[in-house]
Amino acid sequence: MRRLFSIGLFLICASTHAQVSADFGYEYIPDVSDSVIEARLKALPVTIAMEYNAEVKKQIQFYTVTRRDYARKMLNRSSQYFPLFEKYLAEYGMPDELKYLSVVESGLAPKAVSHAAAVGLWQFIYSTGKAYGLESNWYYDDRIDPVKSTEAACRFLLHLNNYFGDWELALAAYNSGAGRVNRAIRYADGKRDFWSIYKFLPNETKAYVPKFVAAVYLFHYAAEHNLYPDNPLYMPEYDTIQVSSYFHLETFATQSSICLEELEALNPQIKHGALPATAKNYALRIPLDKKEYVVTHRALLYDTASKVAKAEVEKMATHEVGAVSGRVRVDYKVRSGDVLGSIAARHKVRVSDIKQWNRLSSDMIRQGQILKIWVLPTQAPATITKVSTTLSRPALKPAPGQKTYAVMSGDTLWSISKAHNISVEEIKALNNLSGDNIKPGQTLILAGK
């Protein structure tokens, strides 16, 4: 027996291969047993384990029954980004099925932003993105760049898998941080597989790996659930040009007879329609069929694009609330008696800037809170010396042969010490740390030669 779905209406149909009925608008949704889905998962040509259980079933139902419109949207978008993902996964020798992780992370939307300010196809937060070479400023955000963020995601996932020795644990750590996964392993008496530590993980992470399994299932068996891409998207063929100056995209597009929307789609990471004067060999993507014309008329096109609206754009870059262009970051630890007004005055910034930089919805701050503040270079030395209370001793550089560890999101000195059988005090001594603060991307020395 099979079912047809319409608003408030279920009909019985004997056909097993019917698709959408043009006459009535009913959509045929196959009923598939647990045993069939489990067998299909076991038959997948994948490296990462694909366990079937109640949580995975719920996520498969989401794609194949509850949100079929969303599933079609993912099928449509996949043709635009999967070739890129496949290229980098192959280059790094990683399982091809990891390309489906972006479905879970961002719904294959390069400009997706989460409640935690994670951005892009692979949902990097600022600190982790920075640790993997993704720059973010007023002009552009590499976390939105499909190419740069994909390579960074491959490097990050590979690092996590090398650390945990298990792809499911690597996926869990990608979502919640290595520290939380290490803590769950301890609570599970040292067991090192996802389903053994499942109950000790945050709720979001509990659903994360099942969502990934469901996404893998969807893309392999969409047709068996009467799901097909109805408007597949494709990445236009492109090449790159190098830009090392201020560069106004709309002017360049007009002068080059390039569709501005196409230029913006190829470069979604450019946020305000221009590149900064500090750009150095910035790889700007242009339609392949326009490359010859651009190269031939390069001098004129670049000269024009380097002048139009420059003063206006640079003024916006430096005066817009939360702008960081031309500024350097300092971290300020809130002290007793501090208010946002006094902190802003001390750093010669606006209260609105501090709130924007730290995603504050009110003026409330607490003692001990760390605030990110971007100051003018002329203010930086005095600010760091007189105001910041988070200074530590100079970090030591590892010598050849020393065992090191790259700090990941969620790590603490305590979690690292337990994972590597070394005391917190030893880590602090080896790395000349005066406090317990560490940040993603930081390299810690864990043993001598």
Side-chain angles (χ1 to χ4, degrees):
M1 303 292 284
R2 297 293 184 265
R3 62 181 175 180
L4 292 171
F5 176 77
S6 186
I7 300 177
L9 179 64
F10 291 87
L11 298 177
I12 304 300
C13 177
S15 170
T16 59
H17 299 288
Q19 295 186 28
V20 176
S21 168
D23 295 331
F24 300 102
Y26 302 138
E27 184 176 6
Y28 167 61
I29 304 178
D31 283 327
V32 183
S33 68
D34 289 349
S35 60
V36 168
I37 294 178
E38 185 171 18
R40 288 174 178 172
L41 283 172
K42 288 181 179 178
L44 288 174
V46 294
T47 300
I48 303 173
M50 297 286 149
E51 184 165 332
Y52 185 61
N53 52 37
E55 185 60 34
V56 172
K57 177 180 179 179
K58 181 172 71 175
Q59 301 301 337
I60 290 176
Q61 289 273 347
F62 172 82
Y63 288 123
T64 61
V65 178
T66 310
R67 289 294 307 278
R68 292 170 64 83
D69 55 338
Y70 182 73
R72 285 193 193 88
K73 186 181 292 185
M74 296 304 98
L75 293 170
N76 287 330
R77 290 176 177 176
S78 65
S79 50
Q80 185 172 10
Y81 295 111
F82 279 6
L84 173 67
F85 300 166
E86 291 162 0
K87 171 190 172 184
Y88 280 99
L89 289 169
E91 286 184 8
Y92 281 87
M94 299 165 69
D96 182 76
E97 60 266 26
L98 286 170
K99 65 190 177 190
Y100 304 114
L101 188 63
S102 184
V103 174
V104 179
E105 283 290 340
S106 65
L108 297 177
K111 293 188 177 182
V113 181
S114 77
H115 66 279
V119 174
L121 288 164
W122 299 97
Q123 291 290 279
F124 278 97
I125 59 173
Y126 177 85
S127 57
T128 307
K130 185 76 171 176
Y132 282 86
L134 301 178
E135 295 295 328
S136 177
N137 54 48
W138 186 86
Y139 288 92
Y140 60 84
D141 190 337
D142 287 341
R143 296 175 297 170
I144 301 174
D145 187 315
V147 176
K148 291 181 179 179
S149 66
T150 296
E151 183 168 16
C154 288
R155 291 168 52 214
F156 187 26
L157 284 165
L158 190 60
H159 172 65
L160 290 169
N161 184 61
N162 289 339
Y163 176 68
F164 286 105
D166 180 275
W167 280 112
E168 287 182 298
L169 294 183
L171 293 175
Y174 190 91
N175 174 252
S176 65
R180 289 189 178 92
V181 173
N182 276 325
R183 183 164 60 245
I185 290 172
R186 289 194 302 274
Y187 290 159
D189 298 325
K191 295 176 182 176
R192 300 182 65 85
D193 67 274
F194 178 78
W195 295 106
S196 292
I197 69 170
Y198 175 82
K199 65 180 180 180
F200 302 111
L201 292 168
N203 288 334
E204 181 182 332
T205 311
K206 287 179 181 178
Y208 189 75
V209 170
K211 285 180 179 178
F212 169 72
V213 174
V216 176
Y217 176 89
L218 168 69
F219 279 88
H220 280 85
Y221 297 109
E224 284 77 359
H225 289 267
N226 191 32
L227 285 166
Y228 303 89
D230 52 13
N231 184 29
L233 304 175
Y234 297 95
M235 183 72 72
E237 288 189 296
Y238 66 85
D239 204 336
T240 60
I241 57 174
Q242 302 297 312
V243 177
S244 295
S245 66
Y246 169 82
F247 201 83
H248 192 252
L249 260 63
E250 184 176 2
T251 299
F252 171 74
T254 301
Q255 297 293 318
S256 306
S257 298
I258 296 174
C259 173
L260 179 60
E261 288 74 16
E262 184 176 4
L263 187 63
E264 291 173 335
L266 286 170
N267 301 276
Q269 71 280 4
I270 299 176
K271 300 189 291 185
H272 298 282
L275 290 171
T278 54
K280 297 298 180 185
N281 297 319
Y282 189 94
L284 181 72
R285 301 182 193 96
I286 63 172
L288 182 61
D289 61 355
K290 298 296 183 180
K291 179 66 179 287
E292 184 178 352
Y293 178 85
V294 170
V295 171
T296 302
H297 301 86
R298 177 187 178 96
L300 176 61
L301 294 172
Y302 276 49
D303 183 63
T304 307
S306 68
K307 295 175 180 176
V308 174
K310 183 177 181 180
E312 297 93 316
V313 171
E314 290 183 343
K315 183 177 181 180
M316 287 192 295
T318 55
H319 289 79
E320 186 175 89
V321 173
V324 299
S325 181
R327 294 174 174 268
V328 294
R329 172 177 161 178
V330 296
D331 291 338
Y332 177 73
K333 189 174 184 179
V334 178
R335 297 176 293 189
S336 176
D338 277 340
V339 295
L340 284 183
S342 63
I343 296 172
R346 197 175 303 163
H347 291 80
K348 291 182 169 54
V349 298
R350 296 168 294 192
V351 169
S352 57
D353 290 324
I354 297 178
K355 293 175 72 173
Q356 179 76 12
W357 291 327
N358 295 276
R359 298 177 63 83
L360 301 177
S361 57
S362 72
D363 292 343
M364 296 294 295
I365 53 176
R366 66 181 185 281
Q367 185 176 344
Q369 182 177 357
I370 304 298
L371 295 177
K372 297 172 289 187
I373 302 176
W374 273 262
V375 300
L376 293 172
T378 53
Q379 291 295 120
T383 300
I384 293 173
T385 301
K386 298 177 182 179
V387 179
S388 176
T389 62
T390 60
L391 296 177
S392 59
R393 295 190 293 265
L396 297 178
K397 294 183 178 180
Q402 285 187 309
K403 180 181 178 182
T404 61
Y405 173 74
V407 177
M408 294 178 283
S409 178
D411 278 342
T412 63
L413 286 181
W414 187 80
S415 68
I416 295 170
S417 72
K418 295 302 179 183
H420 294 274
N421 195 28
I422 181 175
S423 72
V424 169
E425 292 307 315
E426 286 179 290
I427 296 176
K428 292 170 73 171
L430 283 168
N431 294 276
N432 203 18
L433 299 177
S434 59
D436 294 333
N437 291 331
I438 53 176
K439 58 184 179 181
Q442 181 177 351
T443 299
L444 296 178
I445 301 169
L446 298 184
K449 296 182 180 179

